[in-house]
Amino acid sequence: MMDPTRVSGVALAAAIKDGQVSARDAVEAHIDQLKRGRSLGGVAKPRFDAARAEADAVDARIASAEPGELPPLLGVPITVKELIAVAGMPQAGGFYHRREFRAEADAPIVARIKEAGAIILAVTNSAGPLFWVETHNPLYGIARNPYDPRRTAGGSSGGDGVAVSIGGASFALGSDLGGSLRIPAMFNGVFAHLPTAGLVPNTGHFPMTAGIRDALQLGPIAHHAEDLYAALKAISGVHESHPGMSDIQLGDPDDVSITGLDVFVAVNSSAVASTPDIEQARLRAAEKLESAGANVSELELPRMRRAMGFAAATIGGEMDFAATLTEIVGLPALRDRKLVHLLASAPIAVLNLAESAPARRVRTNGARRLISAAHREADYIAETIGDGVVLYPPFPRVAPKHFSTYLRPLALANTTVFNFLGLPATQVPLGLNGDGLPVGVQVVGAPGNDHICLRVAREIGVWEPPTL
């Protein structure tokens, strides 16, 4: 008998429509997994009763509808990062002064995923108010790695990583400004995708990074690669709330052949060297692709070692610090609140923004040169790989112990760089190392070639669920 928590969302939707499993049973199975993993801290706020009612409505709809009339992800249980607006649910970002806030309307991607038929089980824990790659939230607690609870689940989409890894959601929607989708995906042994800049609207997210909003991408985390495409197909496309989006058409991974595909293994490219288990996993992925008919070669990318310089220069030169701080701290909303609410939140927000303070010596010749260098590097990579992909190291080591990533910004360089270069990148799980911890690789493509990254992910990726 099929276990709804172990198959892809695409397969589960087909089974629900065919009557092999009810939407209610699928929802209950995923809720049970979330409850079993309660101590891991993945869930910020559940909406289990609402999800059950929605599942019953799905079953009634299927009973009276023609199969062709049904949306593609009907009945599929998912979660959404708490920073993304889900109507009626909290969107606090870890800030005490927002603890009673409830979103009035769905973010565009949430409205779209609902229209595709998915059922939201919960909003998930996220890093905040210090937005980093550790999910340690003063309102919801700490997210723990399901393979070893002494280790971090990553961040800022750590709760999504946990929920998907343990089979508590077929897939999840999160956000990424420097690895916040891809790092939790790697640490939790699942897939994630950073979309091409402009493919997915990012409105409805808190906070919004004023001035560098296009470096913030919203996208999916999934335990099966095919669900990345299904989710992206549902949530992508121009939206009036996000000005300046590109009318990028998402290609179909089924149209991509591994035979003859150019695959480049990046060398001499990282600010921080990867540990042997990470590097060996990347080489195994290259060998697997070569065996499937890909053309594999090395590609030197020495300028990528300046990744954090690219990011810092862009943030310092373009980010509107005043607008961002005002939104995070909520100054207009706090006029009639107790001063302690502001004082409890503001110092952490200021510290978070201060991480980029050296780069705030803005618009200097040095910063302009770095921004220009980033643009040139993005163009060079796109032109060099064409319709191929680069295998790039993700976080340079497996999930570390809790809190050991703080004050180590260079550890984020391998993921952050692609936000500021505007290139799509898929984080792909490659099994477990000798200590039973997930390893993985980033598959990077030229702008608009998200589907090629997703096809490669489907070829090489493997999810090995943790034992609860």
Side-chain angles (χ1 to χ4, degrees), residues 218-268:
L218 309 190
I221 293 180
H223 50 58
H224 282 73
E226 66 178 338
D227 287 343
L228 296 180
Y229 174 65
L232 282 170
K233 189 175 180 181
I235 66 176
S236 62
V238 172
H239 194 276
E240 61 183 8
S241 66
H242 185 159
M245 286 185 70
S246 302
D247 189 13
I248 301 169
Q249 299 300 310
L250 178 65
D252 190 337
D254 285 342
D255 295 334
V256 178
S257 174
I258 299 298
T259 301
L261 181 72
D262 290 328
V263 175
F264 300 90
V265 179
V267 296
N268 189 27

Short mmCIF file of all heavy atoms in Angstrom, two decimals, residues 218-268:
data_model
loop_
_atom_site.label_atom_id
_atom_site.label_comp_id
_atom_site.label_asym_id
_atom_site.label_seq_id
_atom_site.Cartn_x
_atom_site.Cartn_y
_atom_site.Cartn_z
N LEU A 218 11.73 33.57 -4.08
CA LEU A 218 10.85 32.61 -3.42
C LEU A 218 10.80 31.36 -4.28
O LEU A 218 10.75 31.43 -5.51
CB LEU A 218 9.44 33.19 -3.26
CG LEU A 218 9.32 34.57 -2.61
CD1 LEU A 218 7.85 34.89 -2.31
CD2 LEU A 218 10.16 34.70 -1.36
N GLY A 219 10.83 30.20 -3.62
CA GLY A 219 10.86 28.96 -4.38
C GLY A 219 10.55 27.76 -3.52
O GLY A 219 10.22 27.87 -2.33
N PRO A 220 10.66 26.56 -4.10
CA PRO A 220 10.25 25.34 -3.41
C PRO A 220 11.40 24.54 -2.80
O PRO A 220 12.55 24.59 -3.26
CB PRO A 220 9.61 24.53 -4.55
CG PRO A 220 10.40 24.93 -5.77
CD PRO A 220 10.83 26.36 -5.56
N ILE A 221 11.06 23.79 -1.76
CA ILE A 221 11.88 22.72 -1.19
C ILE A 221 11.04 21.44 -1.31
O ILE A 221 9.84 21.46 -1.02
CB ILE A 221 12.22 22.97 0.29
CG1 ILE A 221 13.14 24.18 0.43
CG2 ILE A 221 12.86 21.76 0.93
CD1 ILE A 221 13.53 24.49 1.87
N ALA A 222 11.65 20.34 -1.74
CA ALA A 222 10.88 19.11 -1.97
C ALA A 222 11.75 17.88 -1.69
O ALA A 222 12.97 17.95 -1.78
CB ALA A 222 10.36 19.06 -3.40
N HIS A 223 11.10 16.75 -1.37
CA HIS A 223 11.90 15.52 -1.20
C HIS A 223 11.99 14.70 -2.49
O HIS A 223 12.70 13.71 -2.53
CB HIS A 223 11.43 14.68 -0.02
CG HIS A 223 9.96 14.38 0.06
ND1 HIS A 223 9.26 13.73 -0.93
CD2 HIS A 223 9.07 14.62 1.06
CE1 HIS A 223 8.00 13.59 -0.55
NE2 HIS A 223 7.85 14.12 0.65
N HIS A 224 11.27 15.13 -3.53
CA HIS A 224 11.42 14.53 -4.86
C HIS A 224 11.63 15.65 -5.87
O HIS A 224 10.92 16.65 -5.87
CB HIS A 224 10.17 13.72 -5.24
CG HIS A 224 10.11 12.37 -4.59
ND1 HIS A 224 9.81 12.21 -3.25
CD2 HIS A 224 10.31 11.12 -5.08
CE1 HIS A 224 9.83 10.92 -2.94
NE2 HIS A 224 10.13 10.24 -4.04
N ALA A 225 12.60 15.44 -6.76
CA ALA A 225 12.98 16.50 -7.70
C ALA A 225 11.82 16.92 -8.59
O ALA A 225 11.70 18.11 -8.94
CB ALA A 225 14.15 16.04 -8.55
N GLU A 226 10.96 16.00 -8.98
CA GLU A 226 9.89 16.36 -9.90
C GLU A 226 8.92 17.38 -9.30
O GLU A 226 8.26 18.13 -10.04
CB GLU A 226 9.14 15.12 -10.37
CG GLU A 226 8.36 14.38 -9.30
CD GLU A 226 7.60 13.19 -9.89
OE1 GLU A 226 7.33 13.20 -11.11
OE2 GLU A 226 7.30 12.26 -9.14
N ASP A 227 8.86 17.44 -7.97
CA ASP A 227 7.96 18.41 -7.34
C ASP A 227 8.49 19.83 -7.42
O ASP A 227 7.71 20.79 -7.30
CB ASP A 227 7.71 18.02 -5.88
CG ASP A 227 6.81 16.81 -5.75
OD1 ASP A 227 6.13 16.47 -6.73
OD2 ASP A 227 6.80 16.19 -4.67
N LEU A 228 9.80 20.01 -7.59
CA LEU A 228 10.33 21.35 -7.79
C LEU A 228 9.72 21.98 -9.03
O LEU A 228 9.29 23.14 -9.03
CB LEU A 228 11.85 21.32 -7.91
CG LEU A 228 12.66 20.84 -6.70
CD1 LEU A 228 14.15 20.88 -7.04
CD2 LEU A 228 12.37 21.70 -5.47
N TYR A 229 9.68 21.21 -10.11
CA TYR A 229 9.11 21.72 -11.35
C TYR A 229 7.61 21.94 -11.21
O TYR A 229 7.07 22.98 -11.65
CB TYR A 229 9.38 20.75 -12.51
CG TYR A 229 8.69 21.13 -13.79
CD1 TYR A 229 9.03 22.30 -14.45
CD2 TYR A 229 7.67 20.33 -14.33
CE1 TYR A 229 8.40 22.66 -15.64
CE2 TYR A 229 7.03 20.69 -15.51
CZ TYR A 229 7.39 21.85 -16.15
OH TYR A 229 6.76 22.21 -17.32
N ALA A 230 6.91 21.00 -10.59
CA ALA A 230 5.46 21.15 -10.43
C ALA A 230 5.12 22.40 -9.63
O ALA A 230 4.19 23.14 -9.97
CB ALA A 230 4.89 19.90 -9.74
N ALA A 231 5.89 22.65 -8.57
CA ALA A 231 5.64 23.84 -7.75
C ALA A 231 5.99 25.11 -8.52
O ALA A 231 5.23 26.09 -8.51
CB ALA A 231 6.45 23.76 -6.46
N LEU A 232 7.14 25.11 -9.19
CA LEU A 232 7.54 26.30 -9.95
C LEU A 232 6.55 26.61 -11.06
O LEU A 232 6.25 27.79 -11.33
CB LEU A 232 8.94 26.09 -10.55
CG LEU A 232 10.11 26.28 -9.60
CD1 LEU A 232 11.40 25.81 -10.26
CD2 LEU A 232 10.24 27.73 -9.16
N LYS A 233 6.06 25.58 -11.71
CA LYS A 233 5.07 25.79 -12.78
C LYS A 233 3.82 26.49 -12.23
O LYS A 233 3.21 27.32 -12.90
CB LYS A 233 4.70 24.45 -13.41
CG LYS A 233 3.86 24.55 -14.66
CD LYS A 233 3.65 23.17 -15.29
CE LYS A 233 2.82 23.26 -16.55
NZ LYS A 233 2.58 21.91 -17.15
N ALA A 234 3.48 26.15 -10.99
CA ALA A 234 2.28 26.74 -10.39
C ALA A 234 2.51 28.18 -9.93
O ALA A 234 1.60 29.01 -10.03
CB ALA A 234 1.83 25.89 -9.20
N ILE A 235 3.70 28.50 -9.43
CA ILE A 235 3.90 29.80 -8.78
C ILE A 235 4.61 30.83 -9.65
O ILE A 235 4.65 32.02 -9.29
CB ILE A 235 4.68 29.65 -7.46
CG1 ILE A 235 6.12 29.18 -7.71
CG2 ILE A 235 3.95 28.72 -6.50
CD1 ILE A 235 6.98 29.11 -6.44
N SER A 236 5.17 30.43 -10.79
CA SER A 236 5.95 31.36 -11.60
C SER A 236 5.07 32.21 -12.50
O SER A 236 3.88 31.91 -12.71
CB SER A 236 6.98 30.59 -12.44
OG SER A 236 6.33 29.72 -13.35
N GLY A 237 5.65 33.26 -13.04
CA GLY A 237 4.95 34.13 -13.97
C GLY A 237 4.80 35.55 -13.44
O GLY A 237 4.80 35.79 -12.23
N VAL A 238 4.68 36.48 -14.35
CA VAL A 238 4.58 37.90 -14.01
C VAL A 238 3.36 38.14 -13.12
O VAL A 238 2.29 37.55 -13.31
CB VAL A 238 4.46 38.74 -15.30
CG1 VAL A 238 4.16 40.20 -14.98
CG2 VAL A 238 5.75 38.63 -16.12
N HIS A 239 3.56 39.02 -12.13
CA HIS A 239 2.45 39.42 -11.25
C HIS A 239 2.49 40.92 -11.07
O HIS A 239 3.57 41.51 -10.89
CB HIS A 239 2.56 38.72 -9.88
CG HIS A 239 1.32 38.82 -9.07
ND1 HIS A 239 1.02 39.91 -8.27
CD2 HIS A 239 0.27 37.96 -8.92
CE1 HIS A 239 -0.14 39.71 -7.67
NE2 HIS A 239 -0.62 38.55 -8.05
N GLU A 240 1.35 41.55 -11.12
CA GLU A 240 1.28 43.02 -11.08
C GLU A 240 1.85 43.61 -9.79
O GLU A 240 2.28 44.77 -9.77
CB GLU A 240 -0.17 43.47 -11.26
CG GLU A 240 -1.12 42.96 -10.18
CD GLU A 240 -2.56 43.37 -10.42
OE1 GLU A 240 -2.86 43.91 -11.50
OE2 GLU A 240 -3.40 43.13 -9.52
N SER A 241 1.88 42.85 -8.72
CA SER A 241 2.38 43.37 -7.44
C SER A 241 3.90 43.47 -7.40
O SER A 241 4.45 44.10 -6.50
CB SER A 241 1.90 42.47 -6.30
OG SER A 241 2.49 41.18 -6.39
N HIS A 242 4.58 42.81 -8.35
CA HIS A 242 6.04 42.81 -8.38
C HIS A 242 6.50 43.51 -9.65
O HIS A 242 6.61 42.89 -10.71
CB HIS A 242 6.56 41.37 -8.33
CG HIS A 242 8.06 41.27 -8.24
ND1 HIS A 242 8.70 40.14 -7.77
CD2 HIS A 242 9.07 42.13 -8.56
CE1 HIS A 242 10.00 40.33 -7.80
NE2 HIS A 242 10.25 41.53 -8.30
N PRO A 243 6.78 44.79 -9.57
CA PRO A 243 7.16 45.54 -10.78
C PRO A 243 8.51 45.09 -11.31
O PRO A 243 9.40 44.69 -10.57
CB PRO A 243 7.22 46.99 -10.28
CG PRO A 243 7.46 46.89 -8.81
CD PRO A 243 6.75 45.65 -8.37
N GLY A 244 8.63 45.15 -12.63
CA GLY A 244 9.92 44.87 -13.24
C GLY A 244 10.24 43.40 -13.44
O GLY A 244 11.36 43.06 -13.84
N MET A 245 9.28 42.51 -13.20
CA MET A 245 9.54 41.10 -13.45
C MET A 245 9.74 40.84 -14.93
O MET A 245 9.16 41.51 -15.78
CB MET A 245 8.38 40.23 -12.95
CG MET A 245 8.28 40.07 -11.45
SD MET A 245 6.96 38.89 -11.01
CE MET A 245 7.69 37.34 -11.57
N SER A 246 10.59 39.87 -15.23
CA SER A 246 10.79 39.48 -16.62
C SER A 246 9.74 38.43 -17.02
O SER A 246 9.34 37.61 -16.20
CB SER A 246 12.19 38.87 -16.80
OG SER A 246 13.19 39.78 -16.40
N ASP A 247 9.32 38.50 -18.27
CA ASP A 247 8.35 37.52 -18.75
C ASP A 247 9.10 36.27 -19.19
O ASP A 247 9.20 35.95 -20.37
CB ASP A 247 7.53 38.11 -19.90
CG ASP A 247 6.36 37.21 -20.28
OD1 ASP A 247 6.05 36.28 -19.52
OD2 ASP A 247 5.77 37.45 -21.35
N ILE A 248 9.65 35.56 -18.20
CA ILE A 248 10.45 34.36 -18.46
C ILE A 248 9.51 33.17 -18.53
O ILE A 248 8.65 32.99 -17.67
CB ILE A 248 11.49 34.16 -17.34
CG1 ILE A 248 12.40 35.36 -17.23
CG2 ILE A 248 12.30 32.88 -17.57
CD1 ILE A 248 13.27 35.34 -15.99
N GLN A 249 9.71 32.35 -19.55
CA GLN A 249 8.92 31.14 -19.67
C GLN A 249 9.68 29.97 -19.05
O GLN A 249 10.84 29.72 -19.40
CB GLN A 249 8.61 30.85 -21.13
CG GLN A 249 7.80 31.95 -21.81
CD GLN A 249 6.46 32.19 -21.15
OE1 GLN A 249 5.70 31.25 -20.91
NE2 GLN A 249 6.15 33.44 -20.86
N LEU A 250 9.06 29.27 -18.13
CA LEU A 250 9.68 28.12 -17.49
C LEU A 250 9.65 26.94 -18.45
O LEU A 250 8.59 26.50 -18.90
CB LEU A 250 8.93 27.77 -16.20
CG LEU A 250 9.44 26.54 -15.44
CD1 LEU A 250 10.85 26.78 -14.91
CD2 LEU A 250 8.49 26.21 -14.27
N GLY A 251 10.84 26.41 -18.79
CA GLY A 251 10.91 25.26 -19.67
C GLY A 251 10.54 23.97 -18.96
O GLY A 251 10.39 23.94 -17.73
N ASP A 252 10.40 22.91 -19.72
CA ASP A 252 10.00 21.60 -19.19
C ASP A 252 11.22 20.70 -19.10
O ASP A 252 11.90 20.45 -20.11
CB ASP A 252 8.96 20.97 -20.12
CG ASP A 252 8.33 19.72 -19.53
OD1 ASP A 252 8.94 19.10 -18.65
OD2 ASP A 252 7.22 19.37 -19.96
N PRO A 253 11.54 20.19 -17.92
CA PRO A 253 12.69 19.28 -17.78
C PRO A 253 12.59 18.05 -18.68
O PRO A 253 13.62 17.48 -19.06
CB PRO A 253 12.65 18.88 -16.29
CG PRO A 253 11.92 19.99 -15.62
CD PRO A 253 10.92 20.47 -16.62
N ASP A 254 11.38 17.64 -19.02
CA ASP A 254 11.23 16.47 -19.89
C ASP A 254 11.81 16.70 -21.29
O ASP A 254 12.06 15.73 -22.02
CB ASP A 254 9.75 16.08 -20.01
CG ASP A 254 9.24 15.38 -18.76
OD1 ASP A 254 10.07 14.90 -17.97
OD2 ASP A 254 8.01 15.34 -18.58
N ASP A 255 12.00 17.96 -21.65
CA ASP A 255 12.55 18.28 -22.96
C ASP A 255 14.08 18.27 -22.97
O ASP A 255 14.69 18.54 -24.02
CB ASP A 255 12.06 19.66 -23.42
CG ASP A 255 10.55 19.69 -23.64
OD1 ASP A 255 9.97 18.63 -23.91
OD2 ASP A 255 9.96 20.79 -23.51
N VAL A 256 14.69 18.00 -21.82
CA VAL A 256 16.15 18.06 -21.69
C VAL A 256 16.71 16.64 -21.71
O VAL A 256 16.25 15.77 -20.97
CB VAL A 256 16.56 18.76 -20.37
CG1 VAL A 256 18.08 18.77 -20.22
CG2 VAL A 256 16.02 20.19 -20.34
N SER A 257 17.73 16.42 -22.54
CA SER A 257 18.42 15.13 -22.59
C SER A 257 19.75 15.23 -21.87
O SER A 257 20.50 16.20 -22.05
CB SER A 257 18.66 14.71 -24.04
OG SER A 257 19.45 13.53 -24.10
N ILE A 258 20.05 14.24 -21.05
CA ILE A 258 21.35 14.19 -20.39
C ILE A 258 22.44 13.83 -21.41
O ILE A 258 23.58 14.31 -21.32
CB ILE A 258 21.34 13.17 -19.24
CG1 ILE A 258 20.30 13.59 -18.18
CG2 ILE A 258 22.73 13.06 -18.60
CD1 ILE A 258 20.57 14.91 -17.51
N THR A 259 22.10 13.04 -22.37
CA THR A 259 23.06 12.67 -23.42
C THR A 259 23.49 13.92 -24.18
O THR A 259 22.65 14.65 -24.74
CB THR A 259 22.44 11.66 -24.40
OG1 THR A 259 22.04 10.49 -23.69
CG2 THR A 259 23.44 11.27 -25.48
N GLY A 260 24.79 14.16 -24.18
CA GLY A 260 25.32 15.32 -24.88
C GLY A 260 25.28 16.61 -24.10
O GLY A 260 25.76 17.65 -24.58
N LEU A 261 24.72 16.60 -22.89
CA LEU A 261 24.64 17.80 -22.07
C LEU A 261 26.04 18.19 -21.58
O LEU A 261 26.80 17.34 -21.11
CB LEU A 261 23.71 17.57 -20.88
CG LEU A 261 23.51 18.76 -19.93
CD1 LEU A 261 22.65 19.82 -20.60
CD2 LEU A 261 22.85 18.30 -18.63
N ASP A 262 26.39 19.46 -21.67
CA ASP A 262 27.66 19.94 -21.15
C ASP A 262 27.55 20.16 -19.65
O ASP A 262 26.71 20.94 -19.18
CB ASP A 262 28.06 21.25 -21.83
CG ASP A 262 28.45 21.06 -23.28
OD1 ASP A 262 29.00 19.99 -23.60
OD2 ASP A 262 28.20 21.97 -24.09
N VAL A 263 28.38 19.46 -18.90
CA VAL A 263 28.42 19.56 -17.45
C VAL A 263 29.82 20.01 -17.05
O VAL A 263 30.81 19.36 -17.39
CB VAL A 263 28.08 18.21 -16.78
CG1 VAL A 263 28.26 18.31 -15.26
CG2 VAL A 263 26.66 17.79 -17.12
N PHE A 264 29.90 21.12 -16.34
CA PHE A 264 31.18 21.69 -15.93
C PHE A 264 31.35 21.53 -14.42
O PHE A 264 30.45 21.90 -13.65
CB PHE A 264 31.25 23.16 -16.30
CG PHE A 264 31.12 23.43 -17.77
CD1 PHE A 264 29.88 23.65 -18.35
CD2 PHE A 264 32.25 23.43 -18.59
CE1 PHE A 264 29.75 23.90 -19.71
CE2 PHE A 264 32.13 23.67 -19.95
CZ PHE A 264 30.89 23.90 -20.51
N VAL A 265 32.47 20.98 -14.01
CA VAL A 265 32.80 20.87 -12.59
C VAL A 265 33.65 22.08 -12.23
O VAL A 265 34.78 22.23 -12.72
CB VAL A 265 33.56 19.57 -12.29
CG1 VAL A 265 33.92 19.48 -10.81
CG2 VAL A 265 32.73 18.36 -12.71
N ALA A 266 33.10 22.99 -11.42
CA ALA A 266 33.82 24.21 -11.08
C ALA A 266 35.05 23.89 -10.22
O ALA A 266 34.98 23.11 -9.27
CB ALA A 266 32.90 25.16 -10.32
N VAL A 267 36.17 24.49 -10.58
CA VAL A 267 37.41 24.34 -9.81
C VAL A 267 38.00 25.73 -9.57
O VAL A 267 37.72 26.68 -10.30
CB VAL A 267 38.43 23.43 -10.54
CG1 VAL A 267 37.90 22.02 -10.66
CG2 VAL A 267 38.78 24.00 -11.91
N ASN A 268 38.81 25.80 -8.51
CA ASN A 268 39.46 27.07 -8.16
C ASN A 268 38.43 28.19 -8.07
O ASN A 268 38.62 29.27 -8.62
CB ASN A 268 40.54 27.42 -9.19
CG ASN A 268 41.39 28.61 -8.76
OD1 ASN A 268 41.53 28.88 -7.57
ND2 ASN A 268 41.94 29.34 -9.74
#
